[in-house]
Amino acid sequence: MSLAAEAFVSQLAAAEPWPENATLYQPLKEDQILLSDHASSLAVQAYLRMCGLPVQVLCRVNSEFMSPSGKIPFIHVGNQVVSELGPIVQFTKAKGHSLSDGLDDVQRAEMKAYMELVNNMLLTAELYIQWCDDATAAEISRPRYSSPYSWPLSKILAYQKQWEVRRKMNAIGWGGKTLQQVYEDVSQCCQALSQRLGMQPYFFNKQPTELDALVFGHLFTILTTRLTSSELAERVKSYSNLLSFCRRIEQTYFEDKSS
Amino acid sequence: TGTLHSLDPLPMQGPELGIQADDIEAPEVEQEPKQEVLENKNVVVQRVHIDGLGRTKEDLLTYEIAEVFRANNLIDVMRKSHEARQKLLRLGIFRKVEVNIDTSRGEDALPNGLDVTFEVTELRRMTGSYNTMVGNNEGSMVLGLRLPNVFGRAEKLTFQFSYGTKETSYGLSFFKPQPGHFERKLKKEKFLFINTTYSKTGSCSFPMWKTNQTLKWEGVWRELGCLGQNASFAIRNESGHSLKSSLSHAMVVDTRNSSILPRKGGLLKIHQELAGYTGGDARFLKEDFEIQLNKTLYWDSVLSASLWGGLLLPFGDAPTCIADRFYLGGPTSIRGFSMYSMGPQSDGDYLGGEAYWAGGLHLYTPLPFRPGRGGFGDLFRTHFFLNAGNLCNLHYGEGPQAHLKKLAECIRWSYGLGIVLRLGNIARLELNYCIPMGVQSGDRICDGIQFGAGIRFL
């Protein structure tokens, strides 16, 4: 978000406390939502639970188009609409809730760097596997993405989305990668995260931060989503401290629901 | 302004490259050495040629000229040739058609044999056109490119680009003489939210007794999106894609002497649309009607009464889509209110309604003191009007009694006077002084002077 936009959102947000009827929108869970969207949505849900802010999850077929930025998830709080984890963190901060207040500047910079790593590596890898791998695209991504629509709109929208993602992959230089290379990138990213986490309960020792929420969202989704091949999940599973990290967060914050 | 696309489609035809029917050329007939009554002379049409064909395929034309062979006296030949010439011109692929009737020559010529030759000049392969158009409170400029007779069988391919105050659209249309009129239209309308549509329609129209019936199938891909952060959540909720595949039927009985400022006669238009049973996401039944009655009174004044109404009935659990609902208000419907600014709304954005009715009563008189009489002044009329109507959503669980009650309460109405200018036979401009009444909270009014331009007025 630009500085001006941030300031604007902060001003509006600060005015009112967090209401009871805040809602989070995502695509339909059973039939429609894809790996990358589910990871992003789970990250936001984890973050809000860590802050102790109540939010109701609503599933809508058109949530991608309702979102002001076109990305999932987005929250509707009062009469404001904010999408994606970064702006949502800013928004809650303006209302006085923050998880990273206890960090000093160095740690904060480190946290931002690791969040960038997750976004650039894990999220991009998820998108690549979903849309650039022909088998996954044909068996899982296109059917799920187009499930709410009738023919021929379903076909048109699914191919349009695939084309759009592939174009983006080419633009950032992932177009030429093979699936194995992508799995390698995922492994390297997990290794970096695993090393940073070490034996601590959370990335910055005792208290969870937005980085924990983001990592949990992605890793947990990867571990629990069935794809055409289980290699992605296997790569994550090979880091046992990440596994126990996910389990710990699930038990602490999500024990009333099964994702 | 929080407006949405207009209810009525813009008429998408510009003026045809008019081919005026001329009188038939005098046929050349060899003079008989002595005078005979030509009508009684039996003739046989031996050959009918068409000269001047370039890309047109002959088989298309054999049907049009077949009748000529059946003529058996000279007057009949002339008449049937004339009719055939009209039919050829009506195909819209020839610039000129001339008829030549001559006695047969050649070895197998009969003494009373005739040769009929149609000399045709085909239209150019591609023609361009530029028109301006007036729709409901909007104006636009239309550039067209037309390819008549693309493949030789009178297929017409038209491409139109329309740029207007409210709408920019591109249209590609393909027409074959036998029923089948396919149009692909892409409309991008920028209001509070963008409504982009691709549509494909096929329709056929035919008269039946005193009515004109039209059957149409329409496939439309709609994409609704919000323009900015400030759209109300109710509008945001409607964003996304939907596909509408619908069959519709319209019946029109029009006994008026003119469609703009009629002096007598009436209009009855009933239209229904059923969506969802031929595919698509949208599922509903939509009914609407329009009635107008006109009567000339003393001193060249005309009393006109009109009534509009409509109902949208969704099937299944899904709510109705904002693009299918009715809108009311504006200089072309209930004057004194802003365009489409009546009825259910959220944060200033109007969501439309599932049922509406609107009525108007007008008294048209010539301009006071009749300036410019017999000329320009005849295009103007003053009118005194009374408009009333209501728009709301219905909960279909309740019975019809509850619905009627709902439509009858909180009626908006307005009255006033103004000047009407007639534009050709298609459109009219109005400048009115309006006094809106019965305004409900949430409606946006435009009291005082209001200007309107359009083709369909209440």
Side-chain angles (χ1 to χ4, degrees):
Chain A
M1 261 176 119
S2 69
L3 279 178
E6 270 181 32
F8 179 70
V9 168
S10 302
Q11 267 221 328
L12 284 182
E16 297 148 2
W18 191 269
E20 283 300 313
N21 63 348
T23 40
L24 179 144
Y25 288 84
Q26 66 170 33
L28 302 183
K29 199 149 164 207
E30 284 304 312
D31 302 313
Q32 188 191 14
I33 199 170
L34 294 174
L35 175 63
S36 52
D37 289 339
H38 193 209
S40 306
S41 174
L42 193 58
V44 170
Q45 288 177 52
Y47 176 75
L48 291 174
R49 281 175 189 246
M50 288 170 183
C51 291
L53 298 171
V55 74
Q56 191 196 6
V57 175
L58 289 180
C59 296
R60 289 271 185 280
V61 161
N62 58 342
S63 40
E64 183 183 352
F65 307 108
M66 282 167 72
S67 164
S69 69
K71 301 239 170 37
I72 301 296
F74 70 93
I75 56 173
H76 181 212
V77 176
N79 59 356
Q80 284 189 283
V81 178
V82 191
S83 64
E84 296 180 76
L85 183 64
I88 290 175
V89 169
Q90 289 291 333
F91 182 76
T92 53
K93 207 168 182 177
K95 287 202 185 287
H97 306 269
S98 173
L99 295 180
S100 54
D101 278 344
L103 302 179
D104 62 36
D105 287 340
V106 171
Q107 288 176 315
R108 197 161 298 149
E110 208 186 336
M111 178 186 78
K112 285 210 162 75
Y114 274 100
M115 285 178 78
E116 278 302 303
L117 175 71
V118 172
N119 280 330
N120 290 343
M121 282 294 190
L122 277 185
L123 180 60
T124 315
E126 285 162 6
L127 284 171
Y128 181 95
I129 292 168
Q130 271 168 200
W131 294 107
C132 299
D133 173 39
D134 290 321
T136 315
E139 276 175 44
I140 297 179
S141 311
R142 285 202 303 265
R144 283 182 74 92
Y145 188 78
S146 62
S147 59
Y149 304 102
S150 47
W151 187 89
L153 190 58
S154 51
K155 283 256 154 41
I156 297 173
L157 289 179
Y159 278 100
Q160 213 177 46
K161 179 77 180 176
Q162 179 176 303
W163 188 59
E164 186 190 313
V165 174
R166 287 192 181 184
R167 226 171 27 152
K168 186 178 157 203
M169 290 290 133
N170 285 335
I172 59 173
W174 279 56
K177 292 199 182 187
T178 64
L179 202 55
Q180 283 308 313
Q181 282 175 321
V182 170
Y183 288 141
E184 272 309 308
D185 288 338
V186 169
S187 279
Q188 280 181 6
C189 179
C190 289
Q191 185 175 37
L193 289 171
S194 177
Q195 274 183 337
R196 180 64 186 82
L197 183 64
M199 299 316 297
Q200 298 168 105
Y202 300 111
F203 279 92
F204 291 95
N205 206 7
K206 296 286 174 33
Q207 294 295 92
T209 57
E210 44 264 37
L211 175 61
D212 299 276
L214 183 63
V215 171
F216 168 75
H218 282 274
L219 294 184
F220 190 85
T221 309
I222 291 174
L223 290 169
T224 53
T225 303
R226 193 186 59 78
L227 291 174
T228 52
S229 118
S230 57
E231 174 141 10
L232 189 62
E234 294 301 318
R235 298 269 180 154
V236 173
K237 276 186 196 163
S238 59
Y239 297 93
S240 57
N241 63 344
L242 293 179
L243 274 184
S244 49
F245 167 78
C246 289
R247 217 168 282 133
R248 189 179 317 121
I249 293 192
E250 187 199 0
Q251 281 169 352
T252 317
Y253 295 101
F254 286 91
E255 58 191 356
D256 51 288
K257 84 173 212 167
S258 53
S259 345
Chain B
T1 57
T3 53
L4 207 67
H5 63 83
S6 71
L7 288 171
D8 321 304
L10 281 183
M12 271 316 225
Q13 308 106 297
E16 297 282 65
L17 282 174
I19 298 170
Q20 303 301 329
D22 313 321
D23 289 318
I24 190 173
E25 269 202 5
E28 288 172 24
V29 179
E30 277 195 352
Q31 288 291 347
E32 297 291 336
K34 54 177 180 176
Q35 290 203 345
E36 275 187 41
V37 182
L38 292 173
E39 278 141 41
N40 299 332
K41 179 165 176 162
N42 260 4
V43 295
V44 168
V45 177
Q46 288 197 274
R47 264 187 292 268
V48 180
H49 317 261
I50 306 189
D51 280 347
L53 290 182
R55 63 183 189 275
T56 314
K57 303 275 186 289
E58 287 231 25
D59 54 330
L60 171 74
L61 308 172
T62 44
Y63 179 71
E64 317 290 341
I65 58 177
E67 273 292 303
V68 181
F69 280 105
R70 293 206 204 111
N72 50 19
N73 66 49
L74 189 58
I75 295 295
D76 215 10
V77 170
M78 283 168 61
R79 193 183 329 125
K80 291 219 157 71
S81 312
H82 179 72
E83 283 168 7
R85 177 177 175 276
Q86 299 287 63
K87 282 197 212 166
L88 288 175
L89 284 174
R90 217 178 299 142
L91 286 175
I93 55 182
F94 298 124
R95 194 209 307 275
K96 221 167 37 162
V97 178
E98 291 176 6
V99 187
N100 237 312
I101 305 180
D102 204 350
T103 51
S104 305
R105 291 168 216 260
E107 291 167 1
D108 58 340
L110 296 173
N112 61 348
L114 290 183
D115 275 352
V116 180
T117 312
F118 291 93
E119 278 158 25
V120 302
T121 319
E122 287 176 342
L123 286 175
R124 269 199 297 237
R125 269 194 189 274
M126 190 157 79
T127 52
S129 68
Y130 169 81
N131 316 338
T132 42
M133 293 238 273
V134 177
N136 263 358
N137 229 39
E138 52 185 309
S140 57
M141 156 194 109
V142 183
L143 293 168
L145 204 62
R146 189 141 157 269
L147 284 82
N149 205 8
V150 187
F151 301 119
R153 289 204 173 77
E155 302 94 345
K156 242 188 301 232
L157 187 66
T158 333
F159 175 74
Q160 269 179 327
F161 169 69
S162 158
Y163 180 75
T165 52
K166 278 204 188 137
E167 180 187 288
T168 302
S169 74
Y170 313 82
L172 187 69
S173 125
F174 181 72
F175 173 73
K176 251 181 100 74
Q178 260 44 57
H181 181 186
F182 299 105
E183 260 178 57
R184 174 166 275 125
K185 274 197 276 215
L186 162 59
K187 278 203 276 199
K188 229 188 178 85
E189 300 174 47
K190 287 197 149 73
F191 292 111
L192 194 62
F193 62 87
I194 304 164
N195 177 5
T196 317
T197 64
Y198 289 90
S199 73
K200 209 164 159 71
T201 48
S203 73
C204 67
S205 233
F206 50 92
M208 192 164 91
W209 191 36
K210 288 192 186 155
T211 69
N212 198 319
Q213 314 270 344
T214 309
L215 287 172
K216 182 164 87 159
W217 173 82
E218 194 180 13
V220 186
W221 167 17
R222 305 160 321 180
E223 179 183 357
L224 309 174
C226 293
L227 232 259
Q229 279 274 353
N230 300 326
S232 69
F233 201 76
I235 297 269
R236 193 176 282 282
N237 222 0
E238 304 259 3
S239 311
H241 296 261
S242 76
L243 186 66
K244 178 181 88 158
S245 162
S246 68
L247 290 168
S248 68
H249 166 253
M251 179 187 88
V252 177
V253 183
D254 192 350
T255 60
R256 303 174 299 177
N257 66 318
S258 155
S259 49
I260 303 288
L261 295 180
R263 307 184 74 84
K264 60 180 167 96
L267 169 72
L268 172 66
K269 204 192 270 186
I270 299 184
H271 172 255
Q272 44 255 351
E273 187 179 354
L274 179 67
Y277 288 93
T278 47
D281 308 312
R283 292 165 62 82
F284 60 79
L285 175 66
K286 192 173 184 181
E287 293 272 351
D288 60 272
F289 71 88
E290 188 180 328
I291 302 175
Q292 192 188 85
L293 295 167
N294 305 284
K295 188 172 168 60
T296 311
L297 301 177
Y298 302 117
W299 301 313
D300 207 16
S301 59
V302 176
L303 186 67
S304 175
S306 54
L307 181 65
W308 294 354
L311 186 67
L312 177 66
L313 190 67
F315 293 138
D317 302 320
T320 53
C321 177
I322 199 168
D324 296 320
R325 294 198 276 261
F326 299 105
Y327 296 84
L328 199 57
T332 58
S333 55
I334 314 264
R335 297 166 179 82
F337 289 81
S338 290
M339 194 81 185
Y340 299 148
S341 301
M342 270 169 61
Q345 54 96 21
S346 159
D347 286 345
D349 300 335
Y350 293 89
L351 307 172
E354 291 160 358
Y356 85 103
W357 68 270
L361 195 63
H362 294 255
L363 181 67
Y364 295 98
T365 63
L367 289 178
F369 310 117
R370 298 191 177 234
R373 187 176 186 172
F376 192 58
D378 280 347
L379 295 174
F380 289 86
R381 310 280 277 166
T382 39
H383 76 135
F384 304 88
F385 63 85
L386 176 67
N387 288 145
N390 202 358
L391 176 78
C392 64
N393 285 320
L394 300 180
H395 302 291
Y396 292 99
E398 311 162 358
Q401 292 280 32
H403 297 162
L404 286 176
K405 184 159 169 290
K406 199 155 179 201
L407 283 171
E409 60 192 24
C410 312
I411 296 178
R412 286 88 162 164
W413 57 283
S414 68
Y415 63 95
L417 66 134
I419 300 183
V420 180
L421 168 65
R422 169 209 197 102
L423 286 181
N425 212 19
I426 333 161
R428 78 193 218 190
L429 302 178
E430 283 189 11
L431 190 65
N432 298 317
Y433 185 84
C434 318
I435 300 159
M437 310 282 287
V439 181
Q440 304 297 316
S441 70
D443 296 344
R444 252 209 304 268
I445 60 169
C446 179
D447 62 348
I449 304 278
Q450 191 179 39
F451 175 75
I455 46 182
R456 182 175 170 256
F457 283 79
L458 178 65

